[in-house]
Amino acid sequence: MEGVALNLVHNGVVRHLQWQGNSLRFLDQTLLPNKVEFVETSDYQVVCDAIRRLAIRGAPAIGVAAGYAFALGAQSIKADSQSVLAEKLRGMRREIESSRPTAVNLSWALKRMVRILERSRTVQESVKLLIREAENIHVEDIDMCKTLGQLGKKLIPEEGSVMTYCNAGGLATGGYGTALGVIHSAFSSMTDGGRTGGFKVIVNETRPLLQGARLTAWELREADIPFILITDNMAAHTFAHKMVTCVIVGADRIALNGDTANKIGTYNLAVLAKYHGIPFYVAAPTSTVDAGIESGRDIPIEHRGEEEITHIAGHQTAPPGTSVTNPAFDVTPSNLISAIITEKAICEAPYRDSFERIL
Ligand code: MRU
């Protein structure tokens, strides 16, 4: 692990998705923090599988990966006409889109890819423009996250302790991060001004797959931002002892009324924040807002395998045959959210009006 991350983080951007001209090189996040291992592939199905098994994860990151998967699919097709290419890509699109259901960024990115396909005239032109569009989606995501980081940093108190959940950092996006991007921008401004104060991040470990402990802690350590790690069941105690100044999390899908789907357990923190009178912020690019749905009731929730609950790191922790439910996300009602930070504006309730202005 020593020194392996040297080329991975550049100017605050985690380069975990790298387009290589005609293949995609991606970091296998399931192995972090113990191993930094990349996979290089030109097979779109390897990318779908990586999304399913969370080797690539986080809403904006799977949107970026979906764009690259579509481009890889297009370049692998032997088609002598544009219509044959389009027909074969229809099936691939369905396959990529179904790899994970909750994050809307996946279908958002694929819609952009299909629009490019429809505007292209030849097979050769399509492949060239699709690759370019996938790269655009990637670069734009980094820019959106940097902009929302700059916008949101004023909400982060200098002397405070900011709680976050799951991983909404560079690894979960094109490279900069949403919630962690805001924290990063805020911390950079503090240190630029020579102030490091008592600022710190409180990281929840995030059962069952420990994205907080494995990934957020890893990113904060790489960035030299002070943090402490707690288990998820310590959150209420931490609030009660006045150790939390605000909470900031990412999002997988936001409905028009502001209801927000994010990693299972986010809702718990929102309820705790409301009870203790602490601000609860969501940070997400506008690609995470689903203008097609009215409220959180319509957000599809992914259910994952039983082993994620009955085992920890391959070791069985519940008796054989134990019944399990494993929803990967929950929905935080918008009345528990103090503000939603996007790259266009900091939105406040009523969210429908705010979104209408910026979308
Ligand atoms: O199951 P995961 O690890 O993909 O879940 C990720 C989250 O819930 C993140 O908080 C969310 O995607 C926002 S990422 C900027």
Side-chain angles (χ1 to χ4, degrees):
M1 177 62 201
E2 282 309 291
V4 276
L6 278 183
N7 295 319
L8 190 50
V9 187
H10 265 280
N11 296 330
V13 174
V14 187
R15 296 173 62 250
H16 66 107
L17 294 169
Q18 301 171 5
W19 182 251
Q20 305 287 300
N22 55 13
S23 62
L24 179 67
R25 195 166 173 262
F26 66 86
L27 178 70
D28 185 341
Q29 296 189 31
T30 62
L31 305 176
L32 281 176
N34 299 319
K35 260 194 200 161
V36 174
E37 202 168 284
F38 277 87
V39 175
E40 184 163 348
T41 184
S42 49
D43 181 347
Y44 80 98
Q45 283 176 321
V46 171
V47 181
C48 293
D49 181 58
I51 294 173
R52 269 192 297 270
R53 65 185 181 86
L54 271 54
I56 302 172
R57 36 85 28 221
I62 61 180
V64 172
Y68 284 131
F70 196 81
L72 288 175
Q75 91 181 358
S76 72
I77 292 170
K78 305 263 173 289
D80 47 18
S81 72
Q82 178 69 0
S83 58
V84 170
L85 178 76
E87 178 52 35
K88 292 198 171 162
L89 274 171
R90 245 192 293 281
M92 288 185 180
R93 177 195 177 168
R94 275 195 297 274
E95 214 177 319
I96 301 166
E97 199 158 7
S98 66
S99 51
R100 285 194 87 185
T102 300
V104 73
N105 309 63
L106 215 144
S107 54
W108 172 87
L110 290 169
K111 270 186 205 135
R112 274 183 63 159
M113 298 300 282
V114 168
R115 272 201 296 274
I116 295 297
L117 180 69
E118 286 167 354
R119 281 189 216 137
S120 312
R121 285 155 306 180
T122 65
V123 172
Q124 218 182 8
E125 185 188 41
S126 295
V127 172
K128 193 173 116 200
L129 295 182
L130 287 172
I131 291 174
R132 190 186 298 166
E133 185 67 354
E135 290 180 297
N136 287 343
I137 291 171
H138 192 175
V139 171
E140 285 170 27
D141 180 76
I142 296 173
D143 289 345
M144 285 193 289
C145 287
K146 284 186 171 170
T147 308
L148 81 81
Q150 286 301 320
L151 269 180
K153 70 181 184 187
K154 66 174 183 215
L155 300 173
I156 304 298
E158 284 193 8
E159 292 295 318
S161 300
V162 180
M163 181 177 275
T164 191
Y165 195 65
C166 191
N167 170 262
L171 290 167
T173 61
Y176 191 72
T178 56
L180 236 47
V182 173
I183 290 172
H184 214 288
S185 303
F187 187 71
S188 297
S189 299
M190 290 174 214
T191 45
D192 282 352
R195 309 172 301 271
T196 42
F199 180 81
K200 71 168 173 303
V201 183
I202 303 172
V203 178
N204 286 271
E205 68 171 352
T206 318
R207 274 284 286 149
L209 297 179
L210 306 178
Q211 287 91 332
R214 293 188 304 107
L215 309 177
T216 298
W218 182 84
E219 284 198 43
L220 290 170
R221 185 169 168 268
E222 287 296 310
D224 271 332
I225 299 177
F227 69 94
I228 54 165
L229 177 66
I230 60 169
T231 62
D232 301 339
N233 52 357
M234 294 174 187
H237 173 88
T238 311
F239 276 96
H241 286 263
K242 304 202 186 317
M243 288 158 70
V244 186
T245 326
C246 71
V247 182
I248 184 162
V249 297
D252 281 79
R253 193 185 295 234
I254 303 174
L256 274 182
N257 71 349
D259 291 352
T260 295
N262 193 49
K263 179 52 56 195
I264 189 79
T266 303
Y267 180 25
N268 302 20
L269 297 185
V271 172
L272 283 171
K274 185 70 152 191
Y275 182 79
H276 291 279
I278 300 292
F280 181 92
Y281 303 120
V282 170
T286 44
S287 53
T288 305
V289 180
D290 187 346
I293 60 165
E294 290 296 322
S295 82
R297 273 195 307 275
D298 303 321
I299 299 179
I301 299 293
E302 175 184 11
H303 283 256
R304 296 183 61 84
E306 299 193 348
E307 284 223 341
E308 291 183 358
I309 307 293
T310 56
H311 290 63
I312 296 177
H315 176 77
Q316 186 152 354
T317 52
T322 300
S323 299
V324 159
T325 177
N326 185 12
F329 300 95
D330 58 26
V331 175
T332 298
S334 59
N335 62 352
L336 300 181
I337 299 172
S338 313
I340 299 178
I341 306 158
T342 73
E343 79 283 6
K344 301 246 173 91
I346 297 181
C347 302
E348 287 177 1
Y351 291 104
R352 184 185 308 273
D353 297 350
S354 308
F355 291 154
E356 259 164 28
R357 277 194 295 276
I358 63 166
L359 288 178

